[in-house]
Amino acid sequence: MQWTLVVPVKPLARAKSRLSDTAHDGVRPGLALAFAQDTVAAALACPVVADVAVVTDDARAARELAALGAGVVPDEPGGGLNAALAHGAAVVRAARPGIPVAALNADLPALRPVELTRVLTAATQFPRAFLPDAAGTGTTLLAAAPGRELSPAFGADSRARHRASGAVELRLGAVDSVRQDVDTGGDLRTALALGVGPRTAAVAARLLIAGQ
């Protein structure tokens, strides 16, 4: 089964505010973009992923992610994360009605294609399924089988909200790279220990040099 992934990217100038203790205002947009680039590149390298649709209104993010091979869907609703994801899923399914769709966070810089393959393969067993984040309260991936609405409920306590919505929680080991999103400096250090993609590594190296 070949999946289409919907990846939301908020305007870079407003992204990753919780990393302010690690990266200043001038660096955070580039760091957020690097996260998204490494996430999208790894997703496109996954053998069970047919394509990636990035939902964004940020011109720089759209340009750079399209250069990697992602499609870009303008965030027409402008109503926040869940509205953007629902819109992106509707757009890709209008073109290909029979596809399975999964929402994937854009801040998974350590993402490994082999681990994403394991998660998506497990998700094929259920009408809707999700993977909790490393912190245990959020969600990094929400999947919907062909003909099923994505019905995203990301945000605070999304693990509980997705479970309450009827989505099956995927309980998998050895998929740390798919669970490790980055919101804080501690998250970034954990991702770096897992091994991040080249763009995140380059920006992080500049941060470490500046902090010496």
Side-chain angles (χ1 to χ4, degrees), residues 107-134:
D107 57 352
L108 299 168
L111 185 63
R112 292 179 172 84
V114 65
E115 294 184 11
L116 180 58
T117 297
R118 291 191 64 228
V119 174
L120 291 172
T121 300
T124 62
Q125 302 173 55
F126 308 103
R128 289 175 66 244
F130 74 96
L131 186 73
D133 66 5

Side-chain angles (χ1 to χ4, degrees), residues 164-189:
S165 76
V168 174
E169 181 173 328
L170 298 173
R171 301 177 182 274
L172 301 172
V175 292
D176 292 351
S177 76
V178 196
R179 298 185 64 199
Q180 188 57 62
D181 55 351
V182 177
D183 289 318
T184 67
D187 294 337
L188 178 56
R189 288 187 288 274

Side-chain angles (χ1 to χ4, degrees), residues 10 27 34 38 58 70 75 77 82 93 99 103 105 109 124 127 143 149 151 153 162 166 175 179-180 190 195 210:
K10 69 167 58 175
V27 172
D38 286 335
D58 189 285
D75 184 8
N82 291 311
R93 278 187 163 163
I99 59 170
N105 286 12
T124 62
E149 293 294 326
S151 301
H162 282 134
V175 292
R179 298 185 64 199
Q180 188 57 62
T190 301

Side-chain angles (χ1 to χ4, degrees), residues 46-82:
C46 179
V48 298
V49 172
D51 49 25
V52 173
V54 172
V55 184
T56 189
D57 272 343
D58 189 285
R60 180 185 177 196
R63 181 176 64 253
E64 297 292 341
L65 296 171
L68 294 176
V72 176
V73 177
D75 184 8
E76 292 176 358
L81 176 58
N82 291 311

